[in-house]
Every structure is written in C-alpha cells, then in structure tokens.
Amino acid sequence: MYGYEITQAIKELTKGEIEITEGSLYPALHGLLADKLLKTESMHIGKRVRKYYTLTKEGKAETKKKIDEFSDFLIMMKQLLNLKLSAR
Amino acid sequence: MTLIDSQIDFILSDIKRRGVVSSALQEEVLDHICCLMEERFPKDDFQTAYQKALTSLGSLKALQHRTTDVILSSGRMAIFFSCLEYCFTFIYLILGITFLLLPLFILIVMSEFLIFAVLFPLMPFGCFMCFTRINYKKFQLISFPSKVCPGNLVFH
C-alpha cells in the first residue's frame, strides 16, 4: 500500500473514527523503513513516483509481537477497570 | 481532475520551496498531494484544489523535520549518532579533567623546577659549608677569617 492508500484504508476500517494525518504517517513510515521493518517498491505513474510499502520478514514478526502486547494490555485494562468491550 | 505534467512540475517545485529537502519524501508528498487533488477535490480548479490539499497536509517543513528526526533516531543512524555522542562526551570529559588538573600539574612542575633549578644547586654549597666549617674530629665550628667575619666572632 502507498501513503494515501494507507490513510484511506485506516479511515474506512475505523469508519472515520481514526484519521492518520500525513504529518505523522510519513515520519512513521520512514522510521519503520530505517529499522528495516518495511520495504518499498516504486512505481512510475507519469511524472509521479508512487512508493508501495510492504512488511519485511522482521516487520511481520514485530507486527505479531506488537499485536500480542496490545492484546495483553487490553486484557489487563479490562480486568483493572472492569470494562465491557464490544465492537460497534 | 487529471493533473498534467506542468502542474506536477509546479507542485514539485513548490514542495521543494516549502522545505521538503529529502528526495524520497518529495516523491511521496507529491504523490499524496496529487491523490488528494484528484480524489477529494476533483471539481475544483487547480489552484483551489492545490491550496486545499496543502492545508490538509499542514506545514511541509515541519513534516520534513519530523521525518528527519525519526530517521536519525532509528536503526543504524541511531547507533552511529549515539556512538558519536559518546565519543564527544569522552573527549569533553578528558578535556575537563585536564583543565581541572592543569593548575595542580603546573604547581607540581613548578615545584619540581624550583627544586631542581634552585634548591639542588644550593645543595653543593651546603655540603661545602658543612664540610669546611665543621671540625668533625673535635666537633667544633671552624670560623671564617676575621676579614670575612667583621665582628671578630669566633666559634669554638
């Protein structure tokens, strides 16, 4: 996915609840690229160059790790605050 | 709206003028602005759509700064700069210790200079005086001749 596509995908998945601004998206993408968690493929569209980002092998492992951490955090918060979490 | 080459060139030059210096980020911001203009503001004219897209993006200079900061704090660059910081800290520490000890060092050197340049030459004179003015067999002082000692003081 490329930058604009990522912002639109997040907006659609969260039904507009979360909007990633470009000011935070591109620094995050470049940071993950520098950490070798993402790789890019460039495609020329006329005079424009579109960069598609994909996860590397290390990126996929890190993704799983982060998701597990967040899941544990949610379980802990649920227990701590006696929350009833439900999907809208 | 479909953007033509001259409009894309204009957007790219304006992005550079507004502070995006990294070529990788220029390409991405250009593509992002073009996507915004084509999909969100298709019915507006070029200038209006461009201004709306720029407003949506915010400060491009700040975007460049944030991106640079993140890159510098990530991966190998982070390791490199942290090593550089440690080197500078070590150099400053050595300089600090040197300048702290320098007055002490100078005092020590000066005292050594005083010892070697002033006191040591006096030692032969002291030895000469001791060995020529003391009669070791009788344990008596040997006086100077009266011409040397104007008070006619005689030590026995």
Side-chain angles (χ1 to χ4, degrees):
Chain A
M1 295 172 84
Y2 57 96
Y4 182 75
E5 195 180 0
I6 293 171
T7 59
Q8 295 305 106
I10 290 169
K11 199 175 170 184
E12 278 173 31
L13 285 169
T14 61
K15 294 184 175 67
E17 292 293 327
I18 297 175
E19 280 195 42
I20 301 285
T21 60
E22 295 76 10
S24 55
L25 172 70
Y26 288 108
L29 286 173
H30 282 251
L32 292 170
L33 203 61
D35 287 336
K36 310 279 184 211
L37 298 175
L38 292 178
K39 59 183 177 187
T40 59
E41 285 176 29
S42 297
M43 187 183 287
H44 290 267
I45 303 169
K47 286 197 114 180
R48 288 145 63 176
V49 178
R50 183 165 287 172
K51 281 190 185 166
Y52 287 86
Y53 288 90
T54 47
L55 286 167
T56 58
K57 193 177 165 188
E58 293 82 14
K60 287 176 184 169
E62 187 68 17
T63 304
K64 186 182 179 308
K65 185 182 157 192
K66 290 290 180 191
I67 289 171
D68 290 340
E69 276 177 16
F70 189 66
S71 175
D72 292 340
F73 173 74
L74 283 177
I75 292 167
M76 190 176 62
M77 282 291 118
K78 188 183 170 191
Q79 287 169 354
L80 190 66
L81 301 172
N82 197 24
L83 294 172
K84 289 176 186 176
L85 299 173
S86 61
R88 288 191 191 178
Chain B
M1 175 195 292
T2 307
L3 294 168
I4 57 176
D5 287 354
S6 60
Q7 289 171 333
I8 293 172
D9 289 338
F10 169 79
I11 295 170
L12 184 60
S13 63
D14 198 47
I15 285 168
K16 289 178 187 175
R17 191 182 61 81
R18 285 175 188 271
V20 181
V21 296
S22 158
S23 59
L25 194 57
Q26 283 169 6
E27 290 170 353
E28 286 178 303
V29 171
L30 171 67
D31 185 50
H32 197 102
I33 288 175
C34 293
C35 289
L36 277 172
M37 291 169 70
E38 287 166 353
E39 294 184 23
R40 252 195 241 176
F41 318 113
K43 294 182 182 176
D44 292 329
D45 62 292
F46 173 76
Q47 284 297 334
T48 309
Y50 181 56
Q51 286 307 316
K52 284 181 181 177
L54 275 181
T55 308
S56 162
L57 238 63
S59 167
L60 294 182
K61 198 169 186 179
L63 173 64
Q64 176 67 75
H65 282 312
R66 275 197 294 274
T67 307
T68 308
D69 287 344
V70 167
I71 290 170
L72 290 178
S73 63
S74 305
R76 285 182 191 176
M77 291 299 281
I79 297 167
F80 172 73
F81 280 108
S82 69
C83 287
L84 204 62
E85 278 174 13
Y86 278 118
C87 286
F88 275 119
T89 305
F90 182 71
I91 289 167
Y92 279 121
L93 196 62
I94 296 295
L95 283 173
I97 292 170
T98 305
F99 289 130
L100 198 64
L101 295 176
L102 197 61
L104 192 64
F105 178 72
I106 287 173
L107 278 172
I108 291 169
V109 169
M110 279 183 70
S111 64
E112 284 178 359
F113 173 76
L114 280 170
I115 287 168
F116 285 104
V118 177
L119 294 177
F120 270 15
L122 289 175
M123 280 176 71
F125 176 75
C127 290
F128 174 77
M129 289 305 289
C130 286
F131 285 115
T132 56
R133 296 292 105 201
I134 297 172
N135 187 330
Y136 287 95
K137 288 181 182 174
K138 296 179 184 177
F139 291 102
Q140 286 177 347
L141 292 176
I142 302 166
S143 63
F144 284 104
S146 58
K147 289 180 184 176
V148 174
C149 224
N152 284 331
L153 292 171
V154 178
F155 297 95
H156 293 287

